[in-house]
Amino acid sequence: MAHNEFKSNVIQPLLTDLYEVTMAYSFWKDRKHDVRAVFDLFFRKNPFQGEFTVFAGLKDCLLYLESFRFSASDISYLKSKLPKNTEPEFFDYLASLTAKDVTVHAVEEGTIVFPKVPLVSLEGPLAVVQLLETTFLTLINFASLVTTNAARYRLAAPENVRLLEFGLRRAQGPDGGLSASKYAFTGGFDGTSNLLAGKIFDIPVSGTHAHSFVMTYSNVNQLNSRTLKNVHDGKEYDFVAACFEWRAKIANKLGIVESEANDGEIAAFIAYALAFPESFVALVDTYNVLRSGLLNFAAVAMALDQFGYHPIGIRIDSGDLAYLSKEAYKLFQQIANHFECPWFTSLHIIASNDLNEDTIHSLNDQGHKITSFAIGTHLVTCQKQPALGCVYKLTEINSQPCIKLSEDLDKVTIPGRKKVYRLYGQDGFAILDLLAKSNEKEPQVGDRILCRHPILESKRAFVIPSSVTCLLEKWWYNGEITRPLPTLVDIKNKVSKGLATLRPDMKRHLNPTPYKVSVTETLYEEMHSIWLENAPIGELS
Amino acid sequence: MAHNEFKSNVIQPLLTDLYEVTMAYSFWKDRKHDVRAVFDLFFRKNPFQGEFTVFAGLKDCLLYLESFRFSASDISYLKSKLPKNTEPEFFDYLASLTAKDVTVHAVEEGTIVFPKVPLVSLEGPLAVVQLLETTFLTLINFASLVTTNAARYRLAAPENVRLLEFGLRRAQGPDGGLSASKYAFTGGFDGTSNLLAGKIFDIPVSGTHAHSFVMTYSNVNQLNSRTLKNVHDGKEYDFVAACFEWRAKIANKLGIVESEANDGEIAAFIAYALAFPESFVALVDTYNVLRSGLLNFAAVAMALDQFGYHPIGIRIDSGDLAYLSKEAYKLFQQIANHFECPWFTSLHIIASNDLNEDTIHSLNDQGHKITSFAIGTHLVTCQKQPALGCVYKLTEINSQPCIKLSEDLDKVTIPGRKKVYRLYGQDGFAILDLLAKSNEKEPQVGDRILCRHPILESKRAFVIPSSVTCLLEKWWYNGEITRPLPTLVDIKNKVSKGLATLRPDMKRHLNPTPYKVSVTETLYEEMHSIWLENAPIGELS
């Protein structure tokens, strides 16, 4: 199924805060609803104590704009909730609204972004752009947060290790799970356990079996199917017997006590192997990884090999994952040596117990032998910081730039319509982002460009860029999406390429270096002059 | 719109993990898919460092059961994802599945629940109950977490203070926001800002205006509407002039410097009051609460009163909320005294800046004068703990009770089909929960009942209950919902009544006393005998 054939039915114009509608009414009543206004959507702080964020959710916003229209039942609901003396013509106005007169400039989905940079800039009739606020924030905040989280896991895990998202059951609602699967994939994950996400977004799906599966067998007599076709001669043979022969052989050769291995467990493994001879993965920790699970797995794996199939590997879901993965790998090596089957050392070792970014770093330090991490709760709920604080601020009204002041200097907004440039050095790494007034000349490669801190007068530097990109592009104009929408794989590649242009010290786990976002001299002057005009009377701030 | 007319279109049988389907195939292949199995859904630890949890999400699960059926496109997707040699008859089997042969016992939605107690117990064909696992967990985990979080906020806030959920923009996806609004309401919140939640679930909606609204006005000349009907004589008068007269009068009387008040702000307040004369609430912190916002609000409020309308109050969204609310209340008192308008002291003071359970406790300690808390991020994302760890464990197969052992004793499961009783003392408080085998005699009022810790032999006590309730009821049988589904208000009342039966020391914020969950002597014996049978060979555990 193609991506845009499916759309959650909760994404609709009423998925917003009441106050957007009351403000729209007040604007309409004061006949300023059609005044042109510009709102910037941005965040003030990178999540997860990091120094970068991945922008995501734009496609959802654009598809939302396409369908933005209050239904008759929405209007009648709003009539019932606004005061009785609300003028009826307002509801006719609401019913007539579309996003046709809105223009959206935005950063491309998957771009690495930083605080204060406008990610989306909406220009249009005041009431309409105000009405879009909450829905845009909802669609972008969580999407960007999960994508960033996934990208951080991707950076934390060794390059050759696969990352699987297994979080649906702990996600924040059904659609929280679906969004998490989607954006974990674009952020750098290789697959998901979530079938609906697989179907809708064409993401690879992955999974083994649960402890309960193993527990449904208590001994091998319960197996109803017992035979498997041998690939070599095409005939069915007793597969159970082959597994038990191998178990005795391996136990004997490696000095393992076979009687400690659980017979229900091997029965379950056999049943699973008979169903999936080509893709056998066994969960080995239902009873005891070292005394039972690994031996039972190895027996079934060797029997599969004998029958002409290639087993895939094991999953460990509890205990000391570094230690157990190393022990498993050691056993795989021994089997490879003793039975001359070198393929045994390339079997997968999947780990899946309550993993997070920190545990991955710790497992790396311990020299684990894990080949895939399956990550759930911490990834999908973004446990370390479950919300990104994107805000939506008025920056221009009726062609007048405006500023939101605050005693907290970090909260002062950068006024007016802007362009955003990313300046790169000779080494290919991004040096800084430069915000300029929209009518300023584009910074040129080789120019000596004064880049100023937006607030602090003394912080400034000249930069001579080796290349320059313009981050804000027009995505929505005259009621239409104006650029081809990227696929999820396009976005995924964009994330990975973008991260490669970020200096390693800015991506490191501990105390990363902040990336700089600056303004041009012209924008600095304009900002500070508006600031001065709006300085409060009677107090120093 | 009635509640069950709307159903998120992402709740469907593919909203599950791939491994549920691979296990189903393996069961089917081994001809054990129709073996009767019982799974219990429960959690092991209360969230938020608390000692209680509110159970929610059952209605969603039951509605899901009604519609549980793989579509043709689901089947063709699964065909494309399972190995090529998967037997085609399996897909016919999948396509034929419904939840008709499943029986669901569950605790009523809104019940206060505790670790290890089965919240839902599903009995049915092994493959079908296995397939339901992930979706049930997804629907219950987040619903119960948010309801519990909301209930904790309700306990933290003074009784007469209203609680409003304002979290949509920071929620985890559009449906994360919708679920949060719904379950915040049942947990004890009075309203939401989320219009879609208001429409679908008939929850009161609430909201004022944003800072951007205030910023769209820089002076009073920008007002296009200026007159308001005076209720007393039905005629239109200049409302702007009245507001400015009142501002001068109040400033003069109370010794406030009128020139420090922002004229754009009063213009915005006037515009909003003209749109909502009956329900005027002003956001007073765009410039400065004490030097501008309160005076401008008071002027407009007094003018509204003069015109025969009743203003509602103010919202403060930044700064020291305890201090500012007290200062606001002090000013309201002064105005009430000086202008003989006692109603001014009953105006609402709404606070809304990044509030959480701890800040509410702290604000209480500081004697705030806030009358409504509007809570966003921390409530909807459950920042303190963003996932509840409900699990879904096999407890019986083919009429044989089974146990999941673990080196972590807390993870050992309680085997078999069970009933759950809550025993109450004479004071009306719940004493403990008692898990019994399903065929045991129901504990009677006045009986001396031996209640045992499920694991620790030495922990046991006799309890003589003054009343007993049975917590697990049959909700789904023979393809139908067997009991009337509660409304959201029913659930909300259930939560509030349930909390009243929980001892205060178990609800307190700091170091609450744990509630006890015990087993009958018979269940204890059965559990420990199965445990012994399954004890591993060769190690002490």
Side-chain angles (χ1 to χ4, degrees), chain A residues 156-170:
Chain A
E159 250 180 69
N160 57 347
V161 166
R162 285 202 320 150
L163 292 178
L164 308 169
E165 177 272 312
F166 273 26
L168 177 57
R169 61 189 60 196
R170 302 289 165 82

Side-chain angles (χ1 to χ4, degrees), chain A residues 4 7-17 20 57-70 74 98-100 122 128-139 392 476 481 485, chain B residues 168 174 196:
Chain A
N4 10 10
K7 190 164 160 262
S8 159
N9 61 355
V10 307
I11 304 179
Q12 41 169 294
L14 279 197
L15 189 78
T16 192
D17 293 311
E20 310 291 8
L58 180 61
K59 188 168 181 171
D60 292 345
C61 291
L62 295 170
L63 296 176
Y64 171 63
L65 288 179
E66 280 191 329
S67 67
F68 178 78
R69 189 180 272 278
F70 288 97
D74 292 344
T98 68
K100 192 176 61 58
L122 291 97
V128 179
V129 283
Q130 184 71 68
L131 280 167
L132 295 170
E133 175 182 24
T134 310
T135 323
F136 265 60
L137 287 171
T138 303
L139 292 173
Y392 189 88
W476 176 264
I481 297 172
L485 290 177
Chain B
L168 177 57
L196 190 60

Side-chain angles (χ1 to χ4, degrees), chain A residues 14 16-18 22 29-30 32 73-74 141 169 172 193 195 199 208 216-217 224-225 272 386 539, chain B residues 14 16-18 22 29-30 32 73-74 141 169 172 193 195-196 199 208 216-217 224-225 272 288 386:
Chain A
L14 279 197
T16 192
D17 293 311
L18 172 62
T22 58
K29 185 111 171 98
D30 198 27
K32 68 188 285 186
S73 89
D74 292 344
N141 265 327
R169 61 189 60 196
Q172 300 207 331
S193 65
L195 281 170
K199 181 183 175 189
T208 52
T216 62
Y217 291 87
N224 294 314
S225 300
Y272 205 69
E539 62 179 320
Chain B
L14 279 197
T16 193
D17 294 311
L18 172 63
T22 58
K29 184 113 169 101
D30 199 26
K32 67 188 286 186
S73 88
D74 292 345
N141 266 326
R169 63 188 59 195
Q172 300 206 332
S193 64
L195 281 170
L196 190 60
K199 179 182 176 192
T208 51
T216 62
Y217 291 87
N224 294 313
S225 300
Y272 205 69
N288 186 302

